[in-house]
Amino acid sequence: MADKKNIVMSGIRPTGFLHLGNYFGAVKNYVRMQEEFECYFMVADLHSLTTHPDTKELKLNVQRVLSENIACGLDPEKVALYCQSHIYETSELYLYLNMLAYKGELEKTVTFKDKVRQHPDNVNAGLLTYPVLQTADIILHRATFVPVGKDQEQHLEMARNFANRFNHRYGEVFPEPQAFNYGSELVKVPSLDGGGKMSKSENQMATLYLSDDDELIRKKVMKAKTDAGPTEPNSVKPDYIENIFLLMKLVSSEDVVKKFEDDYNNCSIRYGDMKKQLAEDMVRFIAPVREKAEAIRNDEKYLKDVMEKGAEKARKSARATMTLVREVMGLNYFAP
Ligand code: ADP
């Protein structure tokens, strides 16, 4: 092998279906990264237990998220695509790191404070030590690149602190993980109702899911907020119109976008036509992914193979790291 590739690690939460925001904000980058780096993509099934202790739906959700990511182009042959719960080494590293993490710093984490507000009757220790488990997930593979959004920066900072603390106390094992993204600007996929971004916790009719059928896609797009159109040439677009253009840029051809930009600028735009065009381009984009994901989801044998193969790759890397960890910690009592 030539130069050692950078190692990428990212977690995918098994919560519900993927939407367009997840695709353009995350999965599309994973698909690109798999060509350039050594990638570990993990379905974070254990993390969900901190807030969703009921596991009835877990298997289905794991299968769903795997199928959708593969349908989007993630290739289980090129990356390690695995479930967190299949890698027991994570729990061991989590234990060691917990001894190096302080209650005070964990309590200050913004996401912890948010969760306490949302679930005041279930403030469990797992919730408090969530950043420690996340650190274990990442540094278990000695990853340097972590593709995450702004909301995760504090967690990554904590991961660097825990990794450095371990290195100082016991010996250099872990490189510092850094946030990674292509280009400086993170894509934000806007919602269809004019405000905010597409999200599974927001208005369902304003978020396009990769599992939506053609009619539902058309219905959602046609309901997007518009107005009577500009009256002055080259006007500034209101946010909700800008959002429709942004969505169009994601799935329509440049010619199509240009046509509607020109129509807008010379005040001849017909939003009904624009939304019809956007709806058809969305259908063309989403339908093949939906169909592929459905086929994969119905193939339990294939999914089992994917999970086994992914776990095998992740375990290999995890074992190599944990051998080093036990060695520097002085825990391998049988070594000569
Ligand atoms: P949700 O907001 O629907 O709960 P998650 O928080 O599970 O989604 O996010 C999973 C990934 O998708 C993250 O990397 C996040 O940055 C990205 N993502 C979610 N919504 C959007 C969006 N509307 N635009 C761009 N990226 C998004």
Side-chain angles (χ1 to χ4, degrees):
M1 204 161 75
D3 287 343
K4 193 167 159 19
K5 283 185 182 176
N6 273 301
I7 297 177
V8 171
M9 196 280 154
S10 191
I12 307 169
R13 293 193 302 162
T15 45
F17 288 103
L18 291 186
H19 54 72
L20 216 59
N22 300 138
Y23 176 76
F24 285 103
V27 187
K28 192 174 174 214
N29 290 337
Y30 297 168
V31 173
R32 184 167 164 197
M33 274 181 254
Q34 74 186 355
E35 304 299 334
E36 299 171 35
F37 306 114
E38 179 179 331
C39 296
Y40 295 86
F41 294 125
M42 172 195 90
V43 178
D45 53 352
L46 297 180
H47 278 292
S48 65
L49 298 179
T50 55
T51 48
H52 296 77
D54 187 346
T55 51
K56 270 205 299 294
E57 303 276 306
L58 201 51
K59 181 178 171 189
L60 202 66
N61 284 332
V62 166
Q63 291 179 334
R64 193 180 274 168
V65 79
L66 282 172
S67 312
E68 290 197 322
N69 276 276
I70 297 168
C72 289
L74 212 63
D75 184 347
E77 298 293 327
K78 292 185 180 157
V79 305
L81 181 59
Y82 64 99
C83 290
Q84 187 181 27
S85 59
H86 291 164
I87 312 300
Y88 305 148
E89 286 78 2
T90 314
S91 308
E92 184 187 352
L93 185 55
Y94 173 52
L95 178 91
Y96 302 150
L97 293 175
N98 266 324
M99 316 299 184
L100 298 170
Y102 300 107
K103 179 171 165 272
E105 64 186 334
L106 295 170
E107 278 171 345
K108 272 194 280 188
T109 318
V110 175
T111 45
F112 174 68
K113 290 198 262 185
D114 286 347
K115 294 271 164 65
V116 171
R117 266 193 296 275
Q118 289 160 12
H119 312 271
D121 49 359
N122 184 21
V123 184
N124 58 74
L127 208 55
L128 182 68
T129 57
Y130 191 107
V132 184
L133 182 54
Q134 201 175 43
T135 303
D137 295 326
I138 297 167
I139 69 176
L140 188 61
H141 302 297
R142 283 170 282 168
T144 47
F145 286 172
V146 187
V148 286
K150 269 229 154 309
D151 54 332
Q152 288 289 328
E153 252 159 34
Q154 190 183 25
H155 285 179
L156 213 50
E157 182 68 43
M158 294 177 84
R160 281 193 288 276
N161 288 341
F162 297 144
N164 283 329
R165 224 172 272 167
F166 181 95
N167 288 344
H168 287 141
R169 163 137 327 252
Y170 296 114
E172 285 290 325
V173 175
F174 301 112
E176 278 195 359
Q178 310 157 20
F180 175 87
N181 56 69
Y182 288 108
S184 52
E185 249 192 75
L186 291 174
V187 193
K188 184 186 125 183
V189 179
S191 75
L192 285 164
D193 59 6
K197 57 171 198 155
M198 284 196 189
S199 164
K200 59 180 142 338
S201 48
E202 298 295 319
N203 176 2
Q204 297 302 293
M205 282 310 280
T207 294
L208 289 167
Y209 285 89
L210 301 179
S211 54
D212 285 348
D213 65 38
D214 295 354
E215 274 322 297
L216 188 55
I217 297 169
R218 291 190 182 102
K219 199 166 146 197
K220 287 181 177 179
V221 173
M222 294 314 286
K223 276 173 89 93
K225 179 177 173 185
T226 53
D227 53 27
T231 48
E232 298 274 321
N234 304 314
S235 312
V236 175
K237 300 184 186 91
D239 284 352
Y240 49 93
I241 298 296
E242 183 65 47
N243 286 352
I244 299 180
F245 275 98
L246 277 174
L247 290 168
M248 196 167 225
K249 281 182 195 143
L250 297 175
V251 293
S252 303
S253 72
E254 279 179 30
D255 292 352
V256 166
V257 179
K258 182 164 183 325
K259 175 204 166 338
F260 288 102
E261 291 277 8
D262 291 346
D263 288 354
Y264 181 87
N265 286 329
N266 62 34
C267 304
S268 65
I269 192 156
R270 291 156 62 131
Y271 288 131
D273 290 351
M274 184 182 184
K275 288 198 282 187
K276 262 191 211 142
Q277 175 76 47
L278 177 61
E280 290 320 305
D281 290 339
M282 278 294 173
V283 166
R284 214 163 28 85
F285 179 81
I286 292 175
V289 179
R290 179 189 66 227
E291 284 157 18
K292 201 165 168 201
E294 251 167 41
I296 296 170
R297 207 166 55 243
N298 292 328
D299 191 345
E300 285 228 20
K301 158 96 179 56
Y302 171 75
L303 280 175
K304 181 169 169 277
D305 287 350
V306 165
M307 282 190 265
E308 276 174 359
K309 199 176 284 173
E312 212 172 289
K313 288 188 213 170
R315 251 178 236 132
K316 188 159 172 247
S317 141
R319 282 184 184 147
T321 301
M322 291 316 289
T323 301
L324 280 176
V325 164
R326 291 181 211 117
E327 198 174 290
V328 299
M329 288 182 77
L331 295 173
N332 54 346
Y333 305 138
F334 301 132

